[in-house]
Amino acid sequence: MTFHKKILLAFIGFHLLFSVGGLLLEELRLMRGDYYGEPYNVAVVLIFWLTITVTVSALLVLLAYMLRFAWMRIRPPR
């Protein structure tokens, strides 16, 4: 499997686990009534969560490509 396919699968897996999982947990909290009487809208929490997960995943993809570039400079493929 190529490096690009591995990164794509890791990216999709990360978002399935953290982005979708976090949104589902917040939906459960909303249905339970945890946000009743809060001074902010639940949409603020969801947007904040999505912003964090997208930023972290973009940084992880960038880190993976930077490490791959550094590794290829140190040990070129044969």
Side-chain angles (χ1 to χ4, degrees), residues 9 19-20 27 29 48-49 51 59 68-71 78:
L9 287 175
S19 296
V20 175
E27 180 66 26
R29 288 184 65 197
F48 184 70
W49 180 254
T51 303
L59 289 174
R68 179 178 182 252
F69 176 74
W71 182 256
R78 300 176 198 190

Side-chain angles (χ1 to χ4, degrees), residues 13-40:
F14 177 86
H15 281 286
L16 283 175
L17 183 65
F18 291 105
S19 296
V20 175
L23 292 176
L24 288 175
L25 288 176
E26 290 300 321
E27 180 66 26
L28 290 174
R29 288 184 65 197
L30 180 65
M31 290 171 57
R32 222 175 32 205
D34 290 349
Y35 290 109
Y36 181 73
E38 293 292 332
Y40 52 86

